């Protein structure tokens, strides 16, 4: 059997190695249109910023090492330009000698990845304007910085790669501005969580410009003028486009394979395309998202590697292994801050008309009495009837990674908030608390579902009817004086039982504290003493101040 693989890196290279491990006799040919077949794509921003100092550390395998170890026919600088699915051949353009040739296959795998979006804007071809997708892009940016010593940089787009790039340029001493057409960075997050990142970026002295896209670029000597849709102009020395990526589906379209509504190549549960002899994987395909029960584009290295193993198994043994889908578990480091998400955000659930309840909690990365504990801000979304966990977002400085992994496994298994309460974790003061933040998120959600407390959210406070509501800050006088919600009355938790005469029973009572715990206790006290319309501010003043800041 002869298998042709189009594209290397995470998907194609993993597939080739797995195929060889399964079958020593299969003929494997891998085509890579670039020079590099196996490298750490996600490490590129860190090399540009100088965190990774040795360029060679980016390479997992060379063409020679991968070919030798796995007895592969790897053809770098070879671009597959068309597929003849009737005759089961591909046409290849050899970029080294400029010649075309035909190669036959029994099975074909498309691992063509995704292309960075580069809109047709005036001046976009000027020197000093880059995309970042591969090693060649990285070398161009690194050389430009070395040769021109830029003082300022503009990042177009505030996604994961854009923020990592901004952080690394800032780390390299370059004044950096992020331009984002929407009103927040990191689209997979909800605004309330993204606002924590906004505050952190500003503390790093990274400039943020929201609400206007770019309309043009103008080169002026050694500098570039970035012109926004609102006519604002920003002077810079270099630009990195991080607007997003689109699946590379040109070959699939050209041979008549089914393309999904998302623009990705459509595959079934076996990663097989509409042609039984052609499989596809990685960033070029649309994958089933079990949370919203629709196909999505989720360009992540982890899913691509898993898909590659499944495709290899199905080629060798027949279609037996299924890919159950991707829930988009992702994580990023920005300075010392870690941001992670899994499942569906509130805005995605709203878009899909999926009912859900939200809860905010703020816990500690480990026992607060042990030195070095940091706050973990957690938002969870869950179904109002069953408590099924639908999505989680976490921001913090330590312990974010292990918590998002726990949450993601509950979502993958169609688990509920009740299972969060039962998660058993390794506990010692340097690593966690006896009640881990994951457990606490489950406890708080269960209190909401069972009616022990009613929640109100940060974006509802401004629209309160002041004549029919009473806002209580249950923190200490010192906390209250350092900042509070306008119109709030300060009645600390420990004095609230003696202040019933100051709290009206004929109004809607809204209670808040720093993160929600004292507010919950106060709400329970009032609810058991004749107060019927009582609400606790989810996430407390901590969530509120970031979101409105």
């Amino acid at each position: 059997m002869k298998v042709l693989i189009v594209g290397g890196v995470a998907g194609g290279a993993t597939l080739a190695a797995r195929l060889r491990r399964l079958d020593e006799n299969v003929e494997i040919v891998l085509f890579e249109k670039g020079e590099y077949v196996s490298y750490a794509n996600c490490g590129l921003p860190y090399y540009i910023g100088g965190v990774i100092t040795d360029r060679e550390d980016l390479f997992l395998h060379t063409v020679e090492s991968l070919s030798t170890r796995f007895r592969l026919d790897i053809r770098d600088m070879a671009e597959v330009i068309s597929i003849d699915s009737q005759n089961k051949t591909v046409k290849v353009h050899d970029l080294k000698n400029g010649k075309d040739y035909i190669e036959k296959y029994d099975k074909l795998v498309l691992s063509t990845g995704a292309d960075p979006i580069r809109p047709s804007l005036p001046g976009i071809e000027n020197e000093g304007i880059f995309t970042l997708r591969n090693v060649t892009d990285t070398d161009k940016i690194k050389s430009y910085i070395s040769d021109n010593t830029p003082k300022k940089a503009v990042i177009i787009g505030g996604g994961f790669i854009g923020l990592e790039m901004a952080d690394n340029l800032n780390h390299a001493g370059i004044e950096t501005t992020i331009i984002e057409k929407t009103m927040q960075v990191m689209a997979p997050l909800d605004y309330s969580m993204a606002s924590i990142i906004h505050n952190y970026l500003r503390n790093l002295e990274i400039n943020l410009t929201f609400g206007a896209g770019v309309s043009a670029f103008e080169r002026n000597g050694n500098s570039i003028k970035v012109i926004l849709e609102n006519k604002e102009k920003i002077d810079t020395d270099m630009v990195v486009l991080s607007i997003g990526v689109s699946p590379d589906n040109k070959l699939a379209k050209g041979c008549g394979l089914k393309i999904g509504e998302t623009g990705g190549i459509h595959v079934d549960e076996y990663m097989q395309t509409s042609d039984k002899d052609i499989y596809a994987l990685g960033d070029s395909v649309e994958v089933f998202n079990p949370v919203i029960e629709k196909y999505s584009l989720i360009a992540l290295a982890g899913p691509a590697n898993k898909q590659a193993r499944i495709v290899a198994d199905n080629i060798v043994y027949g279609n037996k292994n299924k890919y159950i889908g991707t829930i988009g578990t992702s994580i990023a480091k920005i300075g010392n801050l870690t941001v992670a998400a899994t499942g569906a955000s509130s805005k995605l659930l709203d878009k899909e008309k999926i009912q859900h309840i939200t809860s905010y909690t703020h816990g500690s990365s480990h026992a607060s009495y042990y030195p070095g504990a940091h706050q973990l801000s957690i938002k969870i979304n869950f179904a109002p009837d069953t408590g099924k966990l639908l999505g989680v977002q976490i921001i913090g400085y330590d312990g974010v990674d292990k918590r998002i992994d726990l949450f993601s496994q509950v979502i993958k298994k169609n688990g509920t908030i009740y299972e969060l309460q039962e998660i058993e974790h390794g506990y010692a003061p340097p690593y966690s608390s006896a009640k881990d933040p994951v457990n606490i998120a489950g406890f708080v959600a269960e209190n909401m579902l069972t009616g022990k407390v009613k929640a109100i959210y940060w974006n509802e406070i401004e629209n309160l009817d002041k004549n029919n509501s009473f806002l209580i800050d249950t923190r200490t006088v010192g906390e209250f004086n350092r900042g509070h919600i306008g119109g709030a009355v300060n009645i600390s938790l420990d004095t609230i039982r003696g202040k019933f005469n100051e709290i009206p029973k004929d109004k809607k009572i809204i209670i808040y504290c720093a993160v929600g715990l004292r507010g919950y206790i106060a709400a329970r006290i009032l609810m058991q003493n004749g107060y019927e319309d009582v609400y606790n501010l989810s996430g407390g003043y901590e969530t509120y101040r970031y979101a409105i800041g």
Side-chain angles (χ1 to χ4, degrees):
M1 179 169 58
K2 183 175 183 179
V3 179
L4 304 187
I5 303 169
V6 184
V9 198
T14 298
L15 168 66
R18 174 72 171 175
L19 272 174
R20 176 57 70 224
R21 291 195 298 269
L22 296 179
D23 189 335
E24 185 66 16
N25 297 312
V26 65
E27 183 180 356
I28 305 168
V29 183
L30 190 155
F31 300 98
E32 171 55 53
K33 65 181 178 182
E35 185 179 351
Y36 309 101
V37 69
S38 180
Y39 58 89
N41 193 293
C42 298
L44 301 180
Y46 300 100
Y47 171 64
I48 292 171
V51 176
I52 297 173
T53 56
D54 189 343
R55 181 177 179 275
E56 294 306 307
D57 288 342
L58 295 172
F59 300 101
L60 309 177
H61 272 288
T62 64
V63 172
E64 292 75 20
S65 67
L66 199 61
S67 299
T68 301
R69 177 168 296 178
F70 295 103
R71 198 166 58 82
L72 305 173
D73 181 356
I74 299 178
R75 305 179 192 179
D76 61 322
M77 303 301 288
E79 182 178 7
V80 176
I81 55 178
S82 66
I83 300 168
D84 181 348
S85 57
Q86 294 293 320
N87 295 306
K88 298 178 71 170
T89 62
V90 299
K91 186 176 183 180
V92 185
H93 179 65
D94 190 328
L95 295 165
K96 296 175 182 176
N97 59 29
K99 295 180 179 179
D100 296 343
Y101 62 91
I102 301 297
E103 195 77 34
K104 290 187 67 66
Y105 66 83
D106 295 306
K107 299 291 182 183
L108 174 66
V109 183
L110 301 179
S111 180
T112 48
D115 295 321
I117 295 173
R118 193 179 178 95
S120 299
L121 297 175
I124 198 168
E125 299 303 328
N126 280 319
E127 183 186 8
I129 300 176
F130 305 93
T131 56
L132 178 60
R133 188 63 182 170
N134 53 41
V135 175
T136 301
D137 293 340
T138 304
D139 289 340
K140 289 178 181 177
I141 296 172
K142 193 77 170 176
S143 295
Y144 188 86
I145 293 173
S146 177
D147 295 342
N148 297 277
T149 319
K151 300 291 190 295
K152 296 181 179 181
V154 164
I155 309 295
I156 311 296
F160 278 75
I161 297 299
L163 293 193
E164 288 175 346
M165 194 67 217
D167 175 39
N168 279 279
L169 290 176
N170 182 65
H171 180 265
I174 300 172
E175 181 185 335
T176 305
T177 298
I178 297 171
I179 297 174
E180 172 55 55
K181 190 170 185 175
T182 67
M183 294 306 295
Q184 69 166 78
V185 299
M186 288 199 172
L189 300 185
D190 290 311
Y191 178 81
S192 54
M193 299 298 283
S195 62
I196 301 173
I197 306 170
H198 299 166
N199 183 73
Y200 182 76
L201 290 171
R202 292 186 176 108
N203 287 338
L204 290 180
E205 298 185 345
I206 292 175
N207 306 311
L208 302 175
T209 298
F210 293 124
V214 176
S215 62
F217 302 94
E218 290 180 0
R219 184 84 193 183
N220 183 19
N222 292 325
S223 67
I224 302 167
K225 197 178 293 293
V226 182
I227 304 170
L228 304 186
E229 293 168 342
N230 62 6
K231 307 305 179 186
E232 181 184 352
K233 297 180 179 180
I234 299 174
D235 288 317
T236 187
D237 301 315
M238 63 178 292
V239 174
V240 179
L241 301 172
S242 184
I243 302 170
V245 296
S246 60
D248 185 348
N249 60 20
K250 294 185 289 294
L251 286 173
K253 273 186 174 179
C255 71
L257 297 182
K258 181 181 178 182
I259 306 297
E261 292 182 4
T262 64
I265 303 169
H266 182 78
V267 291
D268 63 15
E269 57 196 350
Y270 302 107
M271 303 306 297
Q272 196 171 43
T273 69
S274 52
D275 184 311
K276 66 180 181 63
D277 292 316
I278 304 178
Y279 293 80
L281 58 90
D283 297 355
S284 62
V285 306
E286 61 175 17
V287 293
F288 186 72
N289 183 333
V291 177
I292 62 173
E293 296 185 344
K294 284 188 175 181
Y295 282 88
S296 303
L297 294 175
I298 301 178
L300 294 169
N305 275 275
K306 296 174 181 66
Q307 292 161 14
R309 287 179 61 88
I310 288 171
V311 170
D313 289 359
N314 289 339
I315 288 174
V316 173
Y317 302 123
N319 286 348
K320 294 180 180 179
N321 288 359
K322 298 179 180 180
Y323 187 68
I324 62 173
T326 301
I327 60 173
T329 304
S330 55
I331 192 165
K333 178 181 180 294
I334 308 162
N336 293 320
L337 194 70
T338 301
V339 182
T342 186
S345 63
S346 287
K347 57 188 174 185
L348 177 58
L349 293 170
D350 288 340
K351 178 184 174 185
E352 298 298 331
K353 297 181 171 54
I354 298 174
Q355 289 190 334
H356 64 284
I357 298 174
T358 289
S359 172
Y360 296 93
T361 54
H362 302 277
S364 291
S365 56
H366 58 251
S368 57
Y369 56 81
Y370 186 89
H374 294 285
Q375 181 171 279
L376 283 171
S377 296
I378 300 175
K379 176 181 180 180
I380 69 172
N381 294 320
F382 53 96
D385 49 356
T386 63
K388 179 181 176 181
L389 190 62
L390 301 173
V392 180
Q393 298 161 35
I394 312 178
I395 298 177
Y397 295 90
D398 181 43
V400 174
D401 51 347
K402 74 174 183 178
R403 272 62 180 228
I404 201 68
D405 290 344
L406 290 172
F407 281 118
S408 70
Q409 291 312 299
V410 173
I411 296 175
K412 287 278 281 188
K413 299 295 184 182
N414 290 315
T416 69
I417 56 96
Y418 302 105
E419 290 170 59
L420 298 180
Q421 302 176 70
E422 299 299 327
I423 282 180
E424 186 174 336
H425 60 282
Y427 162 60
Y431 303 105
S432 183
S433 300
K435 290 187 287 189
D436 189 80
V438 175
N439 301 137
I440 291 172
F443 298 150
V444 172
E446 189 265 344
N447 287 337
M448 296 168 68
L449 277 182
T450 55
K452 294 182 181 67
V453 68
K454 290 186 286 189
I456 192 169
Y457 300 96
W458 67 270
N459 55 345
E460 298 178 279
I461 297 297
E462 185 179 347
N463 297 321
L464 285 173
D465 181 350
K466 292 179 173 55
N467 294 320
N468 294 301
S469 59
F470 191 77
L471 186 59
I472 303 175
D473 185 322
T474 64
R475 299 174 299 158
T476 65
V477 173
E479 289 174 291
F480 181 83
N481 289 336
R482 285 192 291 272
H484 59 270
I485 299 173
V489 176
N490 185 208
I491 303 175
S492 66
L493 172 61
D494 293 337
T495 66
I496 199 166
R497 288 186 179 87
K499 299 290 183 72
F500 289 155
N501 63 318
E502 299 177 22
I503 305 171
K505 287 189 174 180
D506 60 346
K507 290 187 177 183
K508 182 178 184 176
I509 308 299
I510 294 92
I511 302 175
Y512 74 90
C513 62
V515 299
L517 176 58
R518 283 174 287 176
Y520 168 65
I521 297 170
R524 291 299 301 160
I525 291 171
L526 293 182
M527 290 169 70
Q528 295 178 82
N529 281 277
Y531 292 85
E532 296 180 355
D533 203 15
V534 181
Y535 295 81
N536 186 31
L537 179 60
S538 185
Y541 188 67
E542 188 76 3
T543 294
Y544 175 85
R545 72 183 181 91
Y546 277 120
I548 69 161

